[in-house]
Structure formats: C-alpha cells, structure tokens
Amino acid sequence: MPKAPPAMLLPEGAGLTHRGRVRTRNEDAILTDPGGTLWAVSDGMGGHGHGDIASDIVIDCLAGISDEDAGADPEGILVARIEHANAMVRQRAARMGGSTMGATVVALIMSRGMAHLAWVGDSRAYLHRHGTLRLLTRDHTLVQDLVERGEISPAEAAIHPQSHVVTRAVGGTPLVDVDSLHVPLAAGDWLLLCSDGLTACLDDPQIARMLQGADDPRDACRRLLTATLAAGAPDNVSVIAVRMAAP
C-alpha cells in the first residue's frame, strides 16, 4: 500500500440517482456533501416492500454525522450510524404492521487524506487510480459466498439466477454486521460509490474508461448514468463520484 498522502488533498464530488428504465419509482437514496467529507448510497429492498422508506432512514441517520465525529473516528461513527439505522428501520417496520423492509448501504468519510468506508449488502465502492479500477468492498450476497467457496466461477456468478440475493441488509436482522476499511488516497484518485443497478449493466472496464475520460465528478456521474440507461437499466441506479484534487 502507498504511504498516506498529505491531508491537504481536496475532494471534489457529485452524485446522481435515477429510477431506471423499468421500475416505476426510485427506492435508492444518496447523500452528497458540498464540503466533500461525507457520501453514501443506499439501495432500498423493494422486493420486501417499502424500500424507499428504508433507504431514506439510512441516509437520514448518516446525514446526522457531525464534522467532529467524522474527524475523530470515521469508521467507528459510520458503523455506529448504520447500526442505529438498522434499529430505526426495524422500528418503522413494526409500526407499519410488521412489514419487512431493508436496504443496502455504502458510506464514505474523507479524513486526513484517507477514505474510510463502511457497508452492508451489495452497494459497492471502487478506487480508480492511474487507469486501474479496484473494487474496495466485498458484496454480501449469496453468489459471492458461492464464489469464495469455489462452487461457482465469477463468470457464472454474473448470470446466476440468485445474483441479487443479499445475505446482509440494514433492517434485515436485529443486529447488523457492518464491514469497514480505510485506504490512503493520492491526487488524481477517483472514488466511486454505486448501487447494484450500475454494476448490473456496466462492467469494470467500462466504468474505468468513463472515469478516465471524465472532465469532473459531475461529468463522470452523467457518463455512467447515461451508459446504464442505454444498457436498459432494469433497476434503480445511483452513483457518486469523488475525485481527489491537489490544492
């Protein structure tokens, strides 16, 4: 791993979300931060009902993170807020007659030249550096478990009939298991957060080319969304692109 860069790096970011070509409503929600510190994508589990409510709860819980908390313990506060969101989603479901609702989430805090990530489910984070795209998160899905056990190949996973079955979700169980990590950043790096509506339509080389050719984060989001819509966009799609700029 490279050495941690200086804290003076300036994050520039943008986000877009769209219901796609098939779904009648958008159950994704995103959090964008003009200050460049806090970003998140949450994908409501529409198949369980009320997915838009669940994703909104997740984003509202993350939006309450203060600058002080973000700077003191970035990963700890992300995990704590996602755990709180889990309780809030379950409480809302109980008030609505026991309806099952849930959401995936990937959240990012930028602090002192480091990207701090926490996630649940199959919303993803990528790092794009010097033309190479690297997946930072691990999908919490049935097919990912099968791949890691050697029962199916990555190619088979992409077309598996249960490819969208998640094994973890915010609101799915009384206690949620949140993964987290941190990675040092350098000038010119891109960070990409997205729902699975993007990765179901675009492969890694396509995503890398669009980030490489983008003028700025807003242009990157527009390119990625346009390509996903052109590919049919059967699901809601959300994307956040953040570029690290030198001052």
Side-chain angles (χ1 to χ4, degrees):
M1 296 293 290
K3 293 182 179 179
M8 64 184 66
L9 290 173
L10 301 175
E12 305 170 338
L16 289 174
T17 184
H18 194 283
R19 67 180 176 86
R21 297 291 193 191
V22 176
R23 299 290 178 89
T24 58
R25 61 181 181 178
N26 191 355
E27 296 191 330
D28 286 2
I30 64 173
L31 174 61
T32 59
D33 181 3
T37 298
L38 179 62
W39 310 84
V41 168
S42 183
D43 180 354
M45 295 166 60
H48 289 174
H50 308 297
D52 50 347
I53 297 174
S55 62
D56 283 345
I57 290 172
V58 172
I59 293 300
D60 286 346
C61 287
L62 290 167
I65 295 175
S66 68
D67 291 342
E68 181 180 359
D69 286 337
D73 182 10
E75 286 170 60
I77 191 60
L78 286 175
V79 171
R81 296 309 295 175
I82 292 171
E83 290 173 341
H84 178 65
N86 188 73
M88 296 296 291
V89 169
R90 292 181 64 81
Q91 288 174 18
R92 178 67 68 87
R95 290 200 301 269
M96 297 175 66
S99 299
T100 300
M101 63 174 71
T104 70
V105 64
V106 58
L108 163 68
I109 287 177
M110 301 285 198
S111 180
R112 300 181 180 90
M114 302 284 287
H116 300 267
L117 293 158
W119 74 96
V120 176
D122 60 357
S123 291
R124 292 180 173 181
Y126 290 89
L127 172 67
H128 183 270
R129 175 179 289 164
H130 303 315
T132 299
L133 188 72
R134 178 162 65 99
L135 178 62
L136 298 176
T137 53
R138 173 194 176 275
D139 290 350
H140 302 141
T141 60
L142 175 62
V143 295
Q144 183 62 34
D145 291 346
L146 294 174
V147 168
E148 292 176 1
R149 292 200 298 265
E151 297 182 25
I152 62 173
S153 69
E156 290 171 325
I159 58 172
H160 196 282
Q162 294 180 299
S163 60
H164 297 297
V165 176
V166 297
T167 54
R168 299 187 207 173
V170 181
T173 55
L175 297 176
V176 63
D177 188 6
V178 184
D179 281 352
S180 66
L181 59 79
H182 58 272
V183 60
L185 299 171
D189 284 353
W190 287 88
L191 283 158
L192 177 71
L193 308 183
C194 64
S195 63
D196 68 332
L198 180 83
T199 52
C201 292
L202 304 181
D203 61 22
D204 287 2
Q206 289 174 299
I207 294 171
R209 286 195 299 271
M210 290 176 196
L211 290 175
Q212 186 75 16
D215 296 327
D216 54 43
R218 187 177 298 276
D219 182 45
C221 291
R222 180 189 58 78
R223 288 169 180 255
L224 290 162
L225 177 58
T226 299
T228 303
L229 293 173
D235 197 359
N236 306 148
V237 55
S238 296
V239 58
I240 288 173
V242 183
R243 182 174 61 182
M244 303 306 296

